[in-house]
Amino acid sequence: MCGIFTVYDETFENKERILNQAFDLLIHRGPDFKKKIINKKLCLGHHRLSIIDLDERSSQPMYSSNGRYKLIFNGEIYNYLDLKKELKRKDWLTLSDSEVLLSLWEEYEHRALDKIRGMFAFIIFDNLKNELHICRDRFGIKPIYYYKSKDYFIFSSEIKPILKYVGHSNPNLKTIKSYLVESLYDHTSSTFFEGVNKVEPGSYIKINLNNLKWSINKWYDLSTKIFKNKLNYNDTKKKLDHLLNKTINLHLNADVKIGLNISGGIDSSILVKGIQKKEIIQTYLNQNFSEFSEIEWIKKLGVIDKTLAIKINSDMALSRLKTVNLFQEEPFGGVTVCGYDFLYEEAQKKNITVLLDGNGLDEMLCGYSKYLKKETTNSKSLDGTEIKNNEFLNSKFLENNDLLTYKSENIFNNGAKNSSLNDFLYFKVPRSLRFNDKISMKSSKELRVPFLDHELVEFCFSIQDTYLIKNNLGKYILRDLLYDKTKNKELCFSEKRSVQSPQNQWITNDWYEYILEKILKSSSLFDRNIFNNDRLISYFKSIKGKKLVNSFHIWQWINLELWFKEFID
């Protein structure tokens, strides 16, 4: 995993200092090697976190054997060894997946994308055609942002270098309204910054530098890859097991130490069982909120002796709000993201560079409790509870700003499956991937998500409805598969546990005074004219010390104000 940075500017001559400052804001993503090259009006820069082939020969920007192409690449190509055999070259200069990707592009250009299994955002400059190609993986695991003006454009793994180069930042009020009114974010190509956008998952942008013409192209569409699976239950379970093992094995290739994020849930347990006998991973990491400890569940997996449980209290989490906000760059999901900051710091102490995480199966296999009831299927919260912010918002803010328009899919004759597909593509997984990428890279850690292998994803969404929800439990076939491996009914068939977080009680107790005095009563919050401040404060005082079912609306107030102070004021 690395940081990539590209600028095309007609007036480079007077911008060397600001160019260097912007580029260096990515150093945490790649502390092992950095280099940028400038060719007339074009700069290609790369910060490397060494994972495969640690030798400097595999650093970037990397040139193709014929000199035509230059590559900067963030991510991993998990099937690069198979692709290397397919290419039948004899003159390999490195042992890296980057060189395989570059050679694959030489052979196939954009058709190479269909052959790749992995997570990636990469930029290739074609010296012959004077073209740039900016490509992002199928599900947007790796980020790539851009800004475009009449004189220049920028692509970057993070937003801060873009803001530094541009020299200003303005809030995207459509994004903010969608966030507050619909609890949606990271669901479109827009960001919280006006003019800063994301390359969409499964897309690539081609730019002709001769005439500066852009074309945005979709190279992968999950909805077109889902076909009805007619396998019986046992054969479906066998194939699911095969695909899970296949992707887990592919994700274990690295020349550095690997760890695993463990929670004691179904997905995490499947991941543990997939690697347990291989003895590749010696350290499992868990963020342990004392009142919500998952240690007893982890004990059932037989890896407690290898588990490093990081105890996190309210003061610790509060102390990280500002720095986590800075590195997330946009509002994020809650206190568990702060908890991961401590976890990845411990990974650093253990010299662990790569971590595996069990993201995605809840969406792929109807795992959340909201999918179990028709009336909550389309809820934006995972447990079906929902609190809307409209009553706390300034009426003029609501009247004067539009909501973002967004896509949704409706390809199944089943509400729960349509909802889960939309959560996967737009509403849940994209923001989770952003949280995970930014918080892991803050500590220069590569986070891998084995369950987002496209072959596994396509198969999971093709599984028959009746295999997914049974006995009022979601993800039933996966639970059954885990039972085959553990013979532990309590672990496998307990009700879905929400993310184990004390956020609800911290907000109305431990953090109450901080929120009231530093956030809700701040003059800056009042001056923004987004909220009905009196109503906000009155409501918050009324819930002091109370037990909340859902505190996300209050988290939004906190997070948005911290974001404004960091990036806009």
Side-chain angles (χ1 to χ4, degrees), residues 27 126 208 286 294 391 460:
I27 194 164
D126 183 338
N208 184 325
N286 168 261
E294 296 182 297
E391 63 183 285
C460 285

Side-chain angles (χ1 to χ4, degrees), residues 274-421:
I275 56 99
Q276 205 167 11
K277 293 179 181 178
K278 298 178 177 65
E279 297 188 357
I280 291 173
I281 294 178
Q282 298 301 316
T283 306
Y284 299 82
L285 295 107
N286 168 261
Q287 50 173 314
N288 185 16
F289 300 105
S290 55
E291 315 96 303
F292 298 87
S293 174
E294 296 182 297
I295 294 302
E296 292 306 313
W297 293 99
I298 294 172
K299 285 179 180 177
K300 300 178 192 300
L301 295 172
V303 294
I304 193 65
D305 56 321
K306 295 181 179 180
T307 298
L308 181 61
I310 315 301
K311 292 185 177 179
I312 300 164
N313 61 40
S314 62
D315 290 339
M316 291 169 66
L318 186 61
S319 73
R320 293 298 171 92
L321 268 182
K322 184 174 174 59
T323 55
V324 171
N325 176 60
L326 172 65
F327 278 85
Q328 284 290 316
E329 303 184 314
E330 301 178 88
F332 56 98
V335 300
T336 54
V337 181
C338 298
Y340 275 116
D341 197 31
F342 293 98
L343 188 146
Y344 294 130
E345 284 184 358
E346 288 299 319
Q348 183 76 18
K349 294 173 186 176
K350 294 283 186 180
N351 200 31
I352 296 168
T353 305
V354 173
L355 291 113
L356 305 184
D357 192 89
N359 204 324
L361 288 178
D362 278 312
E363 293 79 9
M364 292 150 59
L365 296 169
C366 292
Y368 293 121
S369 55
K370 72 170 192 170
Y371 302 134
L372 302 178
K373 299 177 182 177
K374 285 184 178 180
E375 59 269 26
T376 60
T377 293
N378 294 314
S379 170
K380 297 302 183 291
S381 69
L382 304 180
D383 58 3
T385 61
E386 205 145 357
I387 297 179
K388 295 211 177 244
N389 257 318
N390 296 42
E391 63 183 285
F392 302 112
L393 297 178
N394 183 304
S395 59
K396 288 186 178 179
F397 171 77
L398 288 172
E399 291 168 12
N400 296 337
N401 295 286
D402 295 325
L403 294 166
L404 291 172
T405 57
Y406 60 87
K407 305 172 192 172
S408 63
E409 307 296 336
N410 188 32
I411 66 172
F412 298 110
N413 295 319
N414 180 296
K417 288 192 75 172
N418 282 321
S419 178
S420 68
L421 180 60

